[in-house]
Amino acid sequence: MMKKFNDTNVGLFVLLTTCLSLFSCNNDNDNFPKDYVGFEKSTRTIECDKNQSESELQIKIIAADKSKEDRTVLLTTPALPAGQAPIMKLTENKVTIKAGQKSAMTTIKFYPQKMILKQQNVTLSCTPQWKEGGISKLTILLKRK
């Protein structure tokens, strides 16, 4: 009786695992809502040389689906405490995903020599410029080596 029970459970487990694999792998953007426009990833880790005065990072803004219209998002950085030098700078505050496209790239500049700590988190916000758009966040961990 126990052997039959185990064989049945193993068979059921294999069947369920196969089904889940098939359903979860059928589309690259399943983990994003259908109308999502924002950062491709929610976290990034960047290692930069402490002697470098400037470093760059390419950031990808994606859309879950193509659109017949251009879609513009506004990028913002958190406000700095008084007297603190900026350790990063956006090269552009607005990024547009062109009609028929699913992504756009932008560049962020980092200034490792201005970092106070060996590691610092910076969180960027991406706000779609239409009423229904949701804000996405990207947290970048900067590590100075």
Side-chain angles (χ1 to χ4, degrees):
M1 173 81 175
M2 194 58 139
K3 173 90 172 118
K4 184 177 181 182
F5 178 76
N6 286 340
D7 288 346
T8 303
N9 283 344
V10 168
L12 187 59
F13 176 75
V14 169
L15 177 64
L16 286 173
T17 304
T18 304
C19 288
L20 284 172
S21 296
L22 289 172
F23 289 121
S24 66
C25 295
N26 67 349
N27 186 347
D28 291 341
N29 293 325
D30 273 350
N31 53 339
F32 295 110
K34 187 178 189 301
D35 58 349
Y36 178 81
V37 175
F39 293 113
E40 178 183 37
K41 298 178 180 178
S42 61
T43 60
R44 296 280 301 263
T45 300
I46 306 302
E47 291 192 11
C48 37
D49 185 346
K50 65 182 176 187
N51 298 318
Q52 267 186 314
S53 61
E54 185 176 295
S55 180
E56 292 187 349
L57 172 66
Q58 294 286 313
I59 298 291
K60 191 173 195 178
I61 309 294
I62 63 162
D65 290 319
K66 290 182 182 178
S67 172
K68 293 178 181 175
E69 302 171 354
D70 286 358
R71 291 169 285 181
T72 301
V73 297
L74 183 65
L75 301 179
T76 54
T77 58
L80 291 173
Q84 184 176 340
I87 59 171
M88 66 152 294
K89 178 181 152 190
L90 300 169
T91 56
E92 54 191 336
N93 293 330
K94 289 186 178 182
V95 177
T96 300
I97 298 176
K98 298 287 184 195
Q101 300 292 312
K102 288 180 73 171
S103 67
M105 300 294 287
T106 188
T107 302
I108 298 172
K109 294 185 183 228
F110 293 99
Y111 307 103
Q113 290 178 341
K114 294 181 180 180
M115 289 176 63
I116 297 168
L117 306 170
K118 285 191 176 198
Q119 292 191 140
Q120 285 184 254
N121 276 319
V122 178
T123 301
L124 303 176
S125 297
C126 177
T127 308
Q129 296 301 287
W130 56 91
K131 199 181 227 181
E132 308 82 31
I135 297 172
S136 66
K137 303 256 184 202
L138 168 64
T139 300
I140 301 170
L141 173 60
L142 297 171
K143 292 183 173 183
R144 199 171 55 178
K145 49 181 177 161

